[in-house]
Amino acid sequence: QSALTQPPSVSGSPGQSVTISCTGTSSDVGSYNRVSWYQQPPGTAPKLIIYEVSHRPSGVPDRFSGSKSGNTASLTISGLRAEDEADYYCNSYTSTSTYVFGTGTKVTVL
Amino acid sequence: QVQLVQSGAEVEKPGASVKVSCKASGYMFTYYYVHWVRQAPGQGPEWMGWINPNSGDTYFAQKFQDRVAMTRVTSFSTTYMELSSLRSDDTAVYYCARGFKTSGWDVWGQGTTVTVSS
């Protein structure tokens, strides 16, 4: 199972919006609404910020939103803040009943 | 509070085995699957498999099927992940995580660093 494809890095100024894409195939992202997103500052465990494509767990700000079109899922961070600087990973369930992560995107707040 | 607490760092030689524990607290242990995810230095996370703490059923990524085992002791609310025939590229931080809804892991352990070196 190949990793989902994400851009290596995105950046934006405080208050701006950034969007991270996550491209898979018809065997994972395209076939299931079981896409999740994780935020990981350096040296810490991943934190769930989006599940089932577009749902936020309790406590996650509504600045984070998720969507999906075809084989590509997206995470948008609106009103970018310094504390959003971290690595972000997508994840999807697959047709072989396994899970695959994305390649990861480093978000930099300018 | 809901948490997963893992065992401490391990250093092993190539060919050896390592067993990492993950103790759950603050919720009903048997209600949620536990997944194991590893992350090599500078790399993204990699899913290894899950265990159903209620039944003991397991499912693994094909890459690990021949050398991973996941077990649990319900009276201790603890799951274990054992990886055998260790190689240098098994050096990573190993996390346990609680399954959430149909996708996602909402509670993570603090991670256990496993170093494989001769």
Side-chain angles (χ1 to χ4, degrees):
Chain A
Q1 188 75 42
S2 297
L4 308 176
T5 301
Q6 298 180 229
S9 64
V10 298
S11 62
S13 300
Q16 289 187 328
S17 294
V18 295
T19 296
I20 301 168
S21 60
C22 169
T23 301
T25 69
S26 58
S27 296
D28 39 64
V29 175
S31 288
Y32 304 96
N33 287 327
R34 295 173 69 169
V35 174
S36 52
W37 288 88
Y38 299 85
Q39 177 191 62
Q40 188 178 32
T44 69
K47 174 189 174 183
L48 179 67
I49 55 173
I50 295 288
Y51 67 95
E52 292 173 1
V53 174
S54 59
H55 298 270
R56 283 185 309 277
S58 174
V60 173
D62 59 7
R63 303 185 294 103
F64 294 90
S65 61
S67 63
K68 190 185 85 165
S69 178
N71 295 338
T72 298
S74 298
L75 172 73
T76 297
I77 310 173
S78 305
L80 199 61
R81 301 175 67 159
E83 67 218 49
D84 299 332
E85 197 161 278
D87 293 328
Y88 290 80
Y89 295 95
C90 60
N91 181 275
S92 176
Y93 182 73
T94 81
S95 61
T96 55
S97 302
T98 60
Y99 295 83
V100 60
F101 280 93
T103 50
T105 299
K106 181 176 180 62
V107 170
T108 301
V109 181
L110 302 172
Chain B
Q1 73 279 25
V2 175
Q3 61 179 351
L4 298 172
V5 178
Q6 299 181 222
S7 49
E10 304 272 8
V11 179
E12 302 291 348
K13 294 191 184 306
S17 297
V18 68
K19 191 171 186 177
V20 180
S21 68
C22 171
K23 182 173 176 59
S25 61
Y27 71 96
M28 285 296 293
F29 174 67
T30 54
Y31 282 15
Y32 298 84
Y33 284 32
V34 173
H35 296 243
W36 288 85
V37 173
R38 76 177 187 179
Q39 189 167 24
Q43 303 298 311
E46 179 178 30
W47 180 81
M48 299 180 69
W50 55 253
I51 179 169
N52 177 343
N54 186 46
S55 64
D57 289 344
T58 56
Y59 193 83
F60 307 128
Q62 186 172 20
K63 174 178 180 177
F64 301 105
Q65 273 178 359
D66 293 339
R67 59 190 190 102
V68 71
M70 295 180 188
T71 55
R72 92 291 191 212
V73 177
T74 54
S75 59
F76 293 158
S77 297
T78 299
T79 58
Y80 301 88
M81 186 283 299
E82 184 170 19
L83 189 63
S84 60
S85 302
L86 290 169
R87 307 184 289 256
S88 58
D89 61 358
D90 291 318
T91 294
V93 177
Y94 289 75
Y95 293 101
C96 59
R98 188 178 81 164
F100 181 70
K101 305 278 186 180
T102 65
S103 76
W105 301 286
D106 65 334
V107 181
W108 292 68
Q110 82 275 21
T112 297
T113 299
V114 175
T115 303
V116 183
S117 174
S118 55

